[in-house]
Amino acid sequence: MKIILTTEQLAEGIDRLAAVVSRESDGKPLTVIGVLTGSIVVVADLIRRLDGPVNLNMVWASSYRGTATAAGRLELRLDLLPDLNGQDVLIVDDIFDTGRTLEALVAALRGRGAARVRSLVLLRKQGRAETALVPDFVGFDIPDVFVVGYGLDYDGQWRHLPYLAALDPAEIASHSGAQVSSHA
Ligand code: IMP
Ligand code: MG
């Protein structure tokens, strides 16, 4: 595994994101909605650096299946959400890859009456977007490699790494053989 972002760089990125979000929220209440499971580390670090009142909720989304690294069918579960009427919502996800997850979530949350829906991602992969949606806040632009750590997994593993690492295609191949996709 090759380290893409160190623990220190990640902490600086979170500080930078929290400062911009706090400045733009101007002390008004913010409803942070984290996307399970990958965003838990980002959410935990980010909310502790935000100024002003924060209401935290989680939704669940998945577009990856087992050992495949290509996006599969998107599944959303919004059943844990309270009424969002009139709220200023910030969706927080780990990574913007094709953007399909965030696009679907923004649409779904707008449909639940939120006054404003903005999105924040820690990472954005270069050259992968398949949607016109642009996240409002982006921590780091990274190359098109499959990354793990700081919440991100491969087949359920490596979420706990305190840094972000690129998974070597050979390491993926040793786990999944023929299921490796071209962008891995
Ligand atoms: P999108 O809908 O294609 O933007 O996919 C976003 C979701 O795919 C993220 O929330 C992650 O769960 C997952 N994902 C995308 N790229 C990676 C990666 O390099 N490592 C781990 N998970 C990823
Ligand atoms: Mg995810």
Side-chain angles (χ1 to χ4, degrees), residues 12 33 53 55 59 72 86 94 100 108 110 112 118 120 135 139 148 161-163 167 173:
E12 282 165 20
I33 301 185
N55 180 317
V59 293
D94 50 4
R100 297 280 174 215
R110 290 225 164 95
R112 292 191 170 219
R118 288 174 299 169
L120 178 151
V148 294
L161 298 178
Y163 49 82
L167 205 54

Side-chain angles (χ1 to χ4, degrees), residues 35-38 61 93-94:
V35 184
L36 293 168
T37 302
D93 206 357
D94 50 4

Side-chain angles (χ1 to χ4, degrees), residues 25 27-31 52-55 87-89:
S25 299
K28 294 194 206 74
L30 189 63
T31 298
V54 168
N55 180 317
Q87 294 188 32
D88 188 354
V89 167

Side-chain angles (χ1 to χ4, degrees), residues 35 38 61 63-64 69 71 74 93-102 125 128 145-148 152-154 183:
V35 184
S63 60
Y64 282 83
T69 53
L74 178 65
D93 206 357
D94 50 4
I95 188 165
F96 187 99
D97 183 20
T98 66
R100 297 280 174 215
T101 305
L102 220 50
K125 269 193 214 176
R128 293 273 304 157
V145 290
F146 197 82
V147 287
V148 294
L152 291 104
D153 75 309
Y154 173 67
H183 92 275

Side-chain angles (χ1 to χ4, degrees), residues 108-151:
L109 300 186
R110 290 225 164 95
R112 292 191 170 219
R116 176 155 76 152
V117 180
R118 288 174 299 169
S119 56
L120 178 151
V121 290
L122 177 70
L123 310 165
R124 175 170 57 189
K125 269 193 214 176
Q126 281 160 17
R128 293 273 304 157
E130 290 176 11
T131 157
L133 180 86
V134 177
D136 297 279
F137 309 98
V138 177
F140 301 93
D141 278 301
I142 61 165
D144 181 11
V145 290
F146 197 82
V147 287
V148 294
Y150 202 71

Side-chain angles (χ1 to χ4, degrees), residues 1 3 5-7 10 37-42 45 94 147-165 167 175:
M1 278 196 219
I3 294 187
L5 292 169
T6 64
T7 303
L10 288 164
T37 302
S39 79
I40 57 158
V41 182
V42 183
D45 283 349
D94 50 4
V147 287
V148 294
Y150 202 71
L152 291 104
D153 75 309
Y154 173 67
D155 198 18
Q157 289 185 69
W158 291 308
R159 292 194 196 276
H160 60 290
L161 298 178
Y163 49 82
L164 188 81
L167 205 54
H175 281 256

